[in-house]
Coordinates of all heavy atoms in Angstrom, one line a residue:
P388 N -28.1 -31.0 -83.2 CA -26.9 -31.7 -82.7 C -27.3 -32.8 -81.7 O -28.2 -32.6 -80.9 CB -26.0 -30.6 -82.1 CG -26.5 -29.4 -82.8 CD -27.9 -29.5 -83.0
E389 N -26.6 -33.9 -81.8 CA -26.9 -35.0 -80.8 C -26.1 -34.9 -79.5 O -26.5 -35.5 -78.5 CB -26.5 -36.4 -81.5 CG -27.4 -36.7 -82.7 CD -27.0 -38.0 -83.4 OE1 -25.8 -38.3 -83.4 OE2 -27.9 -38.7 -83.8
F390 N -25.0 -34.1 -79.6 CA -24.2 -34.0 -78.4 C -24.0 -32.5 -78.1 O -24.0 -31.7 -79.0 CB -22.8 -34.6 -78.6 CG -22.8 -36.1 -78.9 CD1 -22.8 -36.5 -80.2 CD2 -23.0 -37.0 -77.9 CE1 -22.8 -37.9 -80.5 CE2 -23.0 -38.4 -78.2 CZ -23.0 -38.8 -79.5
S391 N -23.8 -32.2 -76.8 CA -23.5 -30.8 -76.4 C -22.2 -30.4 -77.1 O -21.3 -31.2 -77.5 CB -23.4 -30.7 -74.9 OG -22.2 -31.3 -74.5
T392 N -22.0 -29.1 -77.2 CA -20.8 -28.5 -77.9 C -19.5 -29.0 -77.1 O -18.5 -29.3 -77.7 CB -20.9 -27.0 -77.9 OG1 -22.0 -26.6 -78.7 CG2 -19.6 -26.4 -78.6
L393 N -19.6 -29.0 -75.8 CA -18.4 -29.4 -75.0 C -18.1 -30.8 -75.2 O -16.9 -31.2 -75.4 CB -18.7 -29.1 -73.5 CG -17.5 -29.3 -72.6 CD1 -16.3 -28.3 -73.0 CD2 -17.9 -29.0 -71.1
S394 N -19.1 -31.7 -75.2 CA -18.8 -33.1 -75.4 C -18.3 -33.4 -76.8 O -17.5 -34.2 -77.0 CB -20.1 -33.9 -75.2 OG -20.4 -34.0 -73.8
W395 N -18.9 -32.6 -77.8 CA -18.4 -32.7 -79.1 C -16.9 -32.3 -79.3 O -16.2 -33.1 -79.9 CB -19.3 -31.8 -80.0 CG -19.0 -31.8 -81.5 CD1 -18.9 -32.9 -82.2 CD2 -18.9 -30.7 -82.4 NE1 -18.7 -32.6 -83.6 CE2 -18.7 -31.2 -83.7 CE3 -18.8 -29.3 -82.2 CZ2 -18.5 -30.4 -84.8 CZ3 -18.7 -28.5 -83.3 CH2 -18.5 -29.0 -84.5
F396 N -16.5 -31.2 -78.7 CA -15.1 -30.8 -78.7 C -14.3 -31.9 -78.0 O -13.2 -32.3 -78.5 CB -14.9 -29.5 -77.9 CG -15.4 -28.3 -78.7 CD1 -15.7 -27.1 -78.0 CD2 -15.6 -28.3 -80.1 CE1 -16.1 -26.0 -78.7 CE2 -16.1 -27.2 -80.8 CZ -16.3 -26.1 -80.1
A397 N -14.7 -32.4 -76.9 CA -14.0 -33.4 -76.1 C -13.7 -34.7 -77.0 O -12.6 -35.2 -77.0 CB -14.7 -33.7 -74.8
M398 N -14.7 -35.1 -77.6 CA -14.6 -36.4 -78.4 C -13.7 -36.2 -79.6 O -12.9 -37.0 -79.9 CB -16.0 -36.9 -78.8 CG -16.7 -37.6 -77.6 SD -18.2 -38.5 -78.2 CE -19.4 -37.1 -78.4
L399 N -13.9 -35.1 -80.3 CA -13.1 -34.9 -81.5 C -11.6 -34.7 -81.2 O -10.7 -35.2 -81.8 CB -13.6 -33.8 -82.4 CG -13.5 -32.4 -82.0 CD1 -12.1 -31.8 -82.5 CD2 -14.6 -31.5 -82.6
F400 N -11.4 -34.1 -80.0 CA -10.0 -33.8 -79.6 C -9.3 -35.0 -79.1 O -8.2 -35.3 -79.4 CB -10.0 -32.6 -78.6 CG -8.6 -32.1 -78.3 CD1 -8.0 -31.3 -79.2 CD2 -8.0 -32.4 -77.2 CE1 -6.7 -30.8 -79.0 CE2 -6.7 -31.9 -76.9 CZ -6.1 -31.1 -77.8
S401 N -10.0 -35.7 -78.2 CA -9.4 -36.9 -77.6 C -9.1 -38.0 -78.7 O -8.0 -38.6 -78.6 CB -10.4 -37.6 -76.6 OG -10.6 -36.7 -75.5
A402 N -9.9 -38.1 -79.6 CA -9.7 -39.1 -80.7 C -8.6 -38.6 -81.6 O -7.8 -39.4 -82.2 CB -10.9 -39.4 -81.5
G403 N -8.5 -37.3 -81.8 CA -7.6 -36.7 -82.8 C -6.1 -36.8 -82.5 O -5.3 -37.3 -83.2
I404 N -5.7 -36.2 -81.4 CA -4.2 -36.0 -81.2 C -3.8 -36.2 -79.7 O -2.7 -35.8 -79.4 CB -3.8 -34.6 -81.7 CG1 -4.6 -33.5 -81.0 CG2 -3.9 -34.5 -83.2 CD1 -4.1 -32.1 -81.3
G405 N -4.6 -36.9 -78.9 CA -4.3 -37.0 -77.5 C -2.9 -37.6 -77.2 O -2.1 -37.0 -76.5
I406 N -2.7 -38.8 -77.7 CA -1.4 -39.5 -77.4 C -0.2 -38.6 -77.9 O 0.8 -38.5 -77.3 CB -1.4 -40.9 -78.0 CG1 -2.3 -41.8 -77.2 CG2 0.0 -41.5 -77.9 CD1 -2.4 -43.2 -77.8
G407 N -0.4 -38.1 -79.1 CA 0.7 -37.3 -79.7 C 1.1 -36.1 -78.9 O 2.2 -35.8 -78.7
L408 N 0.1 -35.4 -78.3 CA 0.4 -34.2 -77.5 C 1.2 -34.6 -76.2 O 2.1 -33.9 -75.8 CB -0.9 -33.5 -77.0 CG -1.7 -32.7 -78.1 CD1 -2.9 -32.1 -77.5 CD2 -0.8 -31.7 -78.7

Side-chain angles (χ1 to χ4, degrees):
E389 295 179 321
F390 301 98
S391 69
T392 300
L393 187 60
S394 287
W395 184 48
F396 287 161
M398 284 191 283
L399 73 87
F400 190 74
S401 294
I404 55 175
I406 289 179
L408 286 182

